[in-house]
């Protein structure tokens, strides 16, 4: 299979509708979670869900609408500075995102889930670091573009 034949993670997952299902499933779980829900007093509103969906779509190879309409990396960074995310919250976020991927019926093949969870681990660790009081952050960077990593999709 050539690189031209390899779909993006965004395409493999099913596009924007699939990522919206993921984000809704995730935040529905967050709103019921005693460790994560305090980060969202009053619940997770539609605008937040829509914006985060755009971020995840762009990261996984979809259209760059988060960057074009919302300001890209710098805006996402501003949302995390000073939050004081704890290691326990970071871990719960990652575990909850994995469960939400199941809830949203994202592809369950090991290649996709490996790439998906690699981003979750990377992103949550970066958010943990950036949210610490007095953290030295990279203020300007592109939105990450996540790929398949070591194993492209298996087609049996």
């Amino acid at each position: 299979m050539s690189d031209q034949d390899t779909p993006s993670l965004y395409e493999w997952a099913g596009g924007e509708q699939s990522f919206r299902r993921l984000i809704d499933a995730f935040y529905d779980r967050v709103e019921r979670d005693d460790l994560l829900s305090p980060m969202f007093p009053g619940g997770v509103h539609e605008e937040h869900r829509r914006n985060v969906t755009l971020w995840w779509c762009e990261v996984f190879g979809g259209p760059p609408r988060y960057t074009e309409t919302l300001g890209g990396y710098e805006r996402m960074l501003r949302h995390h500075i000073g939050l004081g995310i704890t290691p326990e919250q970071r871990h719960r976020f990652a575990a909850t995102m994995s469960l939400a991927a199941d809830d949203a019926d994202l592809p369950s093949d090991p290649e996709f889930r490996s790439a998906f969870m690699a981003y979750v681990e990377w992103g949550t660790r970066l958010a943990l670091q950036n949210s610490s009081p007095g953290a030295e952050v990279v203020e300007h960077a592109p939105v990450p573009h996540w790929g398949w990593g070591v194993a492209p999709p298996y087609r049996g």
Side-chain angles (χ1 to χ4, degrees), residues 5-77:
D5 296 332
T6 302
S8 67
L9 293 166
Y10 171 81
E11 293 165 331
W12 190 258
E16 185 172 344
Q17 298 84 359
S18 295
F19 281 96
R20 180 56 195 248
R21 281 195 320 272
L22 168 72
I23 296 307
D24 282 338
F26 173 72
Y27 283 124
D28 289 350
R29 283 180 173 273
V30 164
E31 289 178 335
R32 298 186 306 268
D33 188 280
D34 60 335
L35 188 60
L36 298 176
S37 63
M39 298 175 76
F40 300 93
V44 185
H45 302 292
E46 168 59 24
E47 181 181 8
H48 185 81
R49 290 171 185 244
R50 183 179 61 247
N51 293 347
V52 173
T53 298
L54 293 178
W55 172 269
W56 282 72
C57 287
E58 185 170 338
V59 165
F60 284 99
R65 292 181 17 226
Y66 189 93
T67 295
E68 291 171 352
T69 63
L70 298 172
Y73 169 86
E74 289 80 4
R75 178 170 173 157
M76 184 60 72
L77 176 65

Side-chain angles (χ1 to χ4, degrees), residues 80-103:
H80 291 92
I81 290 177
L83 275 181
I85 298 169
T86 67
E88 294 80 14
Q89 288 171 317
R90 186 218 64 83
H91 184 269
R92 181 79 58 87
F93 182 105
T96 302
M97 189 57 80
S98 180
L99 293 169
D102 291 338
D103 295 343

Side-chain angles (χ1 to χ4, degrees), residues 128-156:
L128 174 69
Q129 175 187 332
N130 288 340
S131 76
S132 299
E136 292 186 27
V137 300
V138 175
E139 293 183 18
H140 304 287
V143 170
H145 291 258
W146 219 255
W148 287 98
V150 175
Y154 177 75
R155 295 182 182 176

